[in-house]
Amino acid sequence: MTKISILMYHQIGVFRRPKTHRATFCHIRRFKAQMAYLKVFGYQVISLDEALRALYSESQGKCRRHYVVLTFDDGYKNFSDYAYPVLRRYNYPATVFLVSGLVGKRAKWLADDGRFAPDLLDADTILALQDSGITFGSHTMTHPRLTGLDSSTLEREIIESKSSLESLLGREISYFCYPSGLYDQAVVEKVREAGYKAALTCDRGAATSRDDPLLLPRKAISYGDSLIGYFWKLHMKNKKKLQSPASA
Ligand SMILES: [Zn+2]
């Protein structure tokens, strides 16, 4: 059975060791080493489109390749400053999940939580990245906790964020990512109604053809992950809901 490691990154840059939320930071030095590691050891870095084909269309059972998908949540400006130049060097595809109501602004939901709110990608940079092959998905309009919201708010966050990004980018937005990994039945139904092809959670593990495409698990790469930790994450198979989902 095809297994795909969908890796979850948030901020890439130069950071001192964070006291909290370590899974939302990756030092550029480590990121460079991780991307080189994938190349040296023959991992196949594929896009989300290719991953969905490998999971749900291709004949199952014969695939021995180790597929990896790179995803970046929240659309931080440091993606273009730090991560993208490294991705380009290796020609790796990647998907960035944008908060559609905060394009060109700051990560307000972090400020609301008393945390530092970094700059988010602006529209011109997003368009330039798209021209360079980066895929964008929706991460809602305002990055709320989706569970427990009323239907019209869910509609705005899940359906309107899709159409608003489609207007900005001039192409279909096929992928959704649940903020803080939170979802329930009403949320997933709204994601289905919106017409997304796939949606990504913070549930931990490798994605397989047994997974609902609207509930794909991922593997969070944390600030503290050495290359040994990285290797372990690439090869872990268990699927387990996180005790405390990444909250950025
Ligand atoms: Zn997020």
Side-chain angles (χ1 to χ4, degrees):
M1 185 168 51
T2 305
K3 289 192 184 68
I4 301 184
S5 294
I6 305 176
L7 304 186
M8 170 171 65
Y9 291 93
H10 284 77
Q11 297 203 59
I12 310 291
V14 178
F15 312 105
R16 300 176 71 163
R17 186 174 179 77
K19 289 197 173 69
T20 60
H21 302 94
R22 289 199 186 114
T24 63
F25 295 93
C26 181
H27 197 287
I28 182 61
R29 198 169 51 234
R30 283 212 154 139
F31 184 71
K32 284 179 178 169
Q34 291 164 5
M35 296 303 105
Y37 179 96
L38 296 176
K39 176 80 176 175
V40 168
F41 291 98
Y43 292 84
Q44 185 109 2
V45 182
I46 60 174
S47 66
L48 264 179
D49 276 345
E50 291 169 309
L52 289 184
R53 278 199 295 276
L55 288 175
Y56 302 112
S57 314
E58 287 176 5
S59 59
Q60 299 291 315
K62 290 181 188 161
C63 180
R64 288 177 178 276
R65 283 193 178 139
H66 198 132
Y67 288 127
V68 172
V69 172
L70 302 172
T71 67
F72 297 81
D73 287 15
D74 304 335
Y76 295 105
K77 183 177 175 293
N78 53 38
F79 173 82
S80 62
D81 296 339
Y82 290 95
Y84 176 68
V86 183
L87 298 173
R88 188 176 55 184
R89 189 180 312 154
Y90 294 102
N91 221 5
Y92 288 160
T95 301
V96 177
F97 289 97
L98 299 170
V99 179
S100 66
L102 295 175
V103 167
K105 299 182 180 161
R106 301 180 81 173
K108 182 176 178 301
W109 71 95
L110 293 179
D112 292 345
D113 195 30
R115 293 157 64 188
F116 176 70
D119 289 337
L120 300 171
L121 292 166
D122 61 30
D124 287 345
T125 310
I126 290 168
L127 288 167
L129 288 167
Q130 176 173 255
D131 286 345
S132 307
I134 297 298
T135 300
F136 291 96
S138 167
H139 197 36
T140 72
M141 196 78 102
T142 64
H143 205 287
R145 293 172 154 255
L146 289 174
T147 48
L149 293 180
D150 62 68
S151 178
S152 65
T153 311
L154 277 185
E155 179 143 345
R156 183 178 128 80
E157 294 289 347
I158 296 171
I159 299 180
E160 283 181 37
S161 68
K162 183 175 191 290
S163 50
S164 125
L165 288 175
E166 286 171 345
S167 308
L168 172 68
L169 294 167
R171 65 174 64 171
E172 191 185 351
I173 295 293
S174 305
Y175 303 116
F176 183 78
C177 174
Y178 303 96
S180 311
L182 294 172
Y183 60 85
D184 58 19
Q185 201 177 343
V187 170
V188 177
E189 277 316 307
K190 197 61 84 181
V191 170
R192 197 182 312 280
E193 187 189 323
Y196 291 102
K197 277 201 273 183
L200 306 186
T201 68
C202 299
D203 297 350
R204 206 159 33 161
T208 74
S209 53
R210 291 198 197 117
D211 289 306
D212 181 336
L214 296 186
L215 291 173
L216 290 174
R218 290 191 290 174
K219 300 176 178 185
I221 304 304
S222 181
Y223 186 90
D225 285 332
S226 63
L227 283 178
I228 294 168
Y230 197 65
F231 171 85
W232 183 81
K233 282 188 174 166
L234 284 167
H235 290 272
M236 74 185 214
K237 298 182 178 80
N238 64 312
K239 188 163 142 192
K240 191 161 74 174
K241 194 153 184 177
L242 289 173
Q243 297 295 314
S244 53
S247 55

